[in-house]
Amino acid sequence: MDLLLVNIPIDLGKKPYDLAFSFLKRLNFGILVIASYMTERGFNVGIFDPQSHPEEDCLIKLLQEIEQTSPQVIGLSCVSGFSYPPCLKIASTIRKRFPSIPIIVGGKDHVGQIAETVLLECSAIDIVVRGEGEEILCQLVEHITNKKPLDTINNIVYRDLDGEICSTHYDLAFNPQKMTRLNYSLYPNFQTFAPSLEVGRGCTFGCEFCVSAKTGVRKKDIPSIIDEAEYITDIYGDNEICIYLETPMFLMQDEEISQLAIQRQERGLNFTWRTSTRVEYLTPSRLEKLAKAGCRILDLGLESASFDILLRMGKTRDPQRYLDRASEILRAAYDLGIMIKLNILFYIGDTLETIATTFSYLTKNIPYVTSVSAYPLLLYPGSSLEGGIKEEVKRYGGNIITDAVWQSRHLWPINPSSELTYDSLQELGVLFAKSFQTIDTFYTQKRYGYFSPKISYTEFVDAAINFGIDSLPFSKDLKETESNRQVLWDYLKAGM
C-alpha cells in the first residue's frame, strides 16, 4: 500500500453534548476526497477510521491494519484542536511500533496553521501539510517512495535529514486539482456514516473568527453533483437518502439550482439535502428554487440580533436590514418546508443585555424558528482575530482562557465580557437550544450529515433518555420549549 489515511477522532466536544451519542459520528470526507483523488491517479490508498471500532480496541486495530497493509506512508487527519491530543498519541504509538514509516499530518484549519509547533511538540511526526491535501500527498508519496528531496513541494513543513525543521513555499490558495468525486467503497463501513457530497470550497466573506476564506473559492458543476448523488443513492441502496452538501458557503446561483432540480427529477432521484449558507445569499424566490431541488435543511449563521455585536463581528454594515431579511427568510423557509438551523455565536463584548436582544428576536419569529445552536467564541489558530483580540476582549472586561488544557489543544476559549464566561455560555447555549428545538426537530436535522442512516427514531430516543435529556439541546415537545423560554428569559432579565 502506498498510503494509509487515518481519521483522528475527537476526545472532547465543542459543545457539551457532542459525545452524547455513539452513532453521532461524522464521515471524514476530507480523507475520502484524498483517497478518491489519489486512487484515480493510480496510488494504492487505504482508510482507517477508529469510529468503526470499539474505543478500547481502536489503537490495537490500527496497528494491526498497518501490519497487514505495510503502507509506504501514513497520513493522520487532525481536523481540529478537539482531536489534536489524540493525534499526537496515535503518532507516537505508530512510531514506536513502526519506526521507519514516515508519518504525515494534515488538517488545513488547525494543524496546518501551526505546522512548526506540531513538529516541535511531537518528534514522531515527520511532515505537516499546510493546505489542501490531494495533490500535495500525491507528490509526497512519490518523493518519499523514490527518495527524492521534499523542498520542491509547496505547503509543507518537514524535518530534513539532519532533523532541522524546514518550510516550503506557503500559499493556501494553491489549488491545482479539481474537486473529485468521492469513492465511498474506499471508506470502511461507509454505510454506518451519513453521506456527504462536496459541492464547494472556500468562502468569499472572510469573517474574522473563521479560516475558510483562506482557501481558494471554487465549486462543482451541476452534472457532476447529480452523478455523484446518484452514485450515493445506489451504493447506499436508498433513493431517498439524506445527503449533506459540504461547503463552507453554498455558492449555487439561481440557474444552477434550477438545473439541479431538473436533473434530479429527470434521473428519478428523491434524495434530499442540507447545506450551509448566509442570510445575504437567500431570498424567498431562491428558497423556492432550493426546495424544488431537494433542500430540506439549511444551516444559517445568523450569529446575533444585537446591532452592536453584528457590527463588531463584521457580519453586516446594516443590522436592521440584515435582521429584517433574516425574518423574511425564516417565514418563507417555514412555508416551503425547509428547516432553518440558526447558529448563534456569543461574541466579544456580549452581555446578558445583548443576548437578551437576540433572544427577543428569536421569540418574535416563533413559530418559524424551530432549530437553534448557540455557543461561545473560540479563538482558532490562523483566524484574523488573532492579532488584536487580546486588547479587544480586555476592553469589555473579558479575557482569553490560556490554561494548560486549552494550550495543549491550541484552542483558546473566550470569556467575552465581565458578565459572562465561556463555561456559563456553554450552559446558556444548551438552554437556548432547548427553548426553540424539540427532540423531533433535533433528530430530523441530525439525519443529514451526523446520524448513521441505520439509526431509527426509537433508537435515538432510547439513547437520549439513557444519556439524560436534560443535558441535551432539545425539549421533549413544544410545551416544554415554552417553559424553557420562560426560564431563559427570567435568567437574562435578572442579570440586566
Side-chain angles (χ1 to χ4, degrees):
M1 179 179 287
D2 295 312
L3 173 66
L4 178 65
L5 293 166
V6 182
N7 176 44
I8 305 298
I10 64 172
D11 67 340
L12 176 72
K14 177 180 178 182
K15 300 166 190 170
Y17 46 83
D18 279 349
L19 297 174
F21 302 103
S22 60
F23 46 78
L24 199 164
K25 53 182 187 177
R26 295 215 64 187
L27 177 139
N28 187 326
F29 82 95
I31 59 173
L32 184 52
V33 165
I34 292 170
S36 303
Y37 182 91
M38 294 183 68
T39 299
E40 286 180 356
R41 282 147 186 80
F43 291 91
N44 182 5
V45 182
I47 292 175
F48 182 87
D49 192 329
Q51 294 177 96
S52 296
H53 305 280
E55 185 176 351
E56 61 274 14
D57 295 339
C58 68
L59 266 178
I60 295 172
K61 295 291 185 183
L62 173 58
L63 296 176
Q64 290 173 347
E65 182 82 5
I66 297 169
E67 187 77 51
Q68 292 167 7
T69 59
S70 300
Q72 296 292 314
V73 181
I74 294 172
L76 307 182
S77 174
C78 179
V79 298
S80 80
F82 295 104
S83 53
Y84 184 63
C87 180
L88 302 191
K89 177 182 177 182
I90 288 172
S92 298
T93 301
I94 293 171
R95 176 49 45 87
K96 288 178 184 176
R97 180 77 171 271
F98 304 97
S100 63
I101 301 179
I103 298 175
I104 302 172
V105 174
K108 66 182 181 61
D109 293 340
H110 189 260
V111 293
Q113 303 291 331
I114 55 169
E116 290 90 351
T117 300
V118 173
L119 293 183
L120 288 170
E121 291 184 348
C122 186
S123 61
I125 296 171
D126 302 295
I127 304 167
V128 178
V129 175
R130 303 183 78 175
E132 297 177 12
E134 297 101 298
E135 185 61 30
I136 292 174
L137 274 166
C138 286
Q139 295 176 35
L140 280 170
V141 171
E142 193 270 331
H143 279 234
I144 290 170
T145 302
N146 293 291
K147 296 181 168 47
K148 295 165 63 175
L150 305 180
D151 56 1
T152 59
I153 302 174
N154 288 327
N155 289 355
I156 64 168
V157 178
Y158 66 99
R159 301 181 201 278
D160 66 14
L161 295 176
D162 297 321
E164 296 295 321
I165 294 176
C166 306
S167 299
T168 63
H169 178 67
Y170 181 40
D171 179 9
L172 282 181
F174 172 71
N175 299 305
Q177 72 284 330
K178 292 182 179 180
M179 290 179 290
T180 195
R181 168 174 153 171
L182 302 181
N183 181 352
Y184 272 84
S185 66
L186 297 172
Y187 212 102
N189 302 306
F190 71 85
Q191 299 96 336
T192 64
F193 293 87
S196 294
L197 194 167
E198 188 181 26
V199 298
R201 293 187 189 179
C203 180
T204 57
F205 286 92
C207 295
E208 289 190 339
F209 50 84
C210 178
V211 294
S212 291
K214 295 178 182 290
T215 300
V217 176
R218 82 216 96 132
K219 57 186 175 181
K220 281 182 182 170
D221 59 46
I222 300 304
S224 297
I225 292 171
I226 283 292
D227 284 345
E228 194 166 346
E230 185 172 34
Y231 161 73
I232 289 173
T233 63
D234 288 343
I235 199 166
Y236 274 83
D238 183 359
N239 194 39
E240 297 184 353
I241 192 78
C242 302
I243 302 176
Y244 201 115
L245 300 189
E246 299 277 1
T247 177
M249 169 64 192
F250 195 69
L251 298 170
M252 281 188 201
Q253 299 305 304
D254 287 347
E255 183 179 346
E256 294 171 306
I257 300 168
S258 296
Q259 288 179 15
L260 180 64
I262 291 168
Q263 293 186 34
R264 177 174 170 269
Q265 185 177 24
E266 287 177 347
R267 299 274 189 102
L269 299 172
N270 294 319
F271 71 91
T272 54
W273 49 274
R274 170 182 183 171
T275 196
S276 301
T277 189
R278 289 173 59 115
V279 171
E280 298 91 335
Y281 170 80
L282 297 171
T283 64
S285 61
R286 180 167 283 175
L287 278 166
E288 189 172 352
K289 290 180 172 63
L290 290 169
K292 288 180 181 178
C295 178
R296 295 296 178 268
I297 314 281
L298 284 173
D299 294 273
L300 190 62
L302 179 73
E303 315 305 2
S304 178
S306 162
F307 284 17
D308 288 344
I309 298 299
L310 287 171
L311 290 169
R312 188 172 303 136
M313 65 172 56
K315 193 71 180 178
T316 178
R317 295 180 179 178
D318 189 342
Q320 187 61 64
R321 182 181 179 186
Y322 175 85
L323 293 172
D324 289 345
R325 177 79 162 270
S327 297
E328 182 183 31
I329 294 307
L330 286 167
R331 287 169 170 78
Y334 183 85
D335 292 340
L336 290 164
I338 294 177
M339 182 190 300
I340 301 283
K341 182 177 83 74
L342 286 175
N343 292 324
I344 305 298
L345 178 63
F346 300 130
Y347 200 69
I348 300 165
D350 250 324
T351 62
L352 291 172
E353 184 174 2
T354 60
I355 292 174
T357 301
T358 299
F359 173 79
S360 296
Y361 173 83
L362 296 177
T363 56
K364 287 176 183 175
N365 282 282
I366 290 173
Y368 313 111
V369 176
T370 57
S371 181
V372 171
S373 179
Y375 45 89
L377 178 66
L378 272 168
L379 176 62
Y380 294 93
S383 71
S384 300
L385 274 178
E386 271 192 298
I389 188 172
K390 187 173 182 180
E391 290 304 314
E392 186 175 1
V393 172
K394 186 178 180 181
R395 188 179 309 137
Y396 300 99
N399 63 287
I400 304 172
I401 300 174
T402 57
D403 62 33
V405 172
W406 288 106
Q407 287 281 36
S408 69
R409 296 180 181 278
H410 301 283
L411 290 174
W412 299 277
I414 306 300
N415 294 325
S417 67
S418 58
E419 290 185 21
L420 299 166
T421 67
Y422 179 83
D423 289 340
S424 68
L425 287 173
Q426 284 275 41
E427 296 178 8
L428 195 63
V430 175
L431 185 53
F432 250 85
K434 284 179 171 293
S435 299
F436 299 95
Q437 181 167 252
T438 66
I439 187 171
D440 293 353
T441 302
F442 183 82
Y443 174 75
T444 298
Q445 52 108 346
K446 287 295 182 182
R447 291 181 64 224
Y448 294 79
Y450 293 90
F451 285 171
S452 167
K454 297 177 179 293
I455 298 301
S456 69
Y457 177 73
T458 300
E459 290 173 307
F460 157 67
V461 172
D462 289 344
I465 291 171
N466 288 336
F467 182 81
I469 288 180
D470 289 345
S471 302
L472 293 168
F474 49 75
S475 294
K476 292 189 284 291
D477 50 39
L478 288 174
K479 185 176 180 180
E480 189 171 272
T481 62
E482 293 177 10
S483 175
N484 280 318
R485 280 198 296 276
Q486 187 60 54
V487 172
L488 178 54
W489 175 243
D490 289 343
Y491 172 79
L492 294 171
K493 188 170 58 175
M496 290 166 56

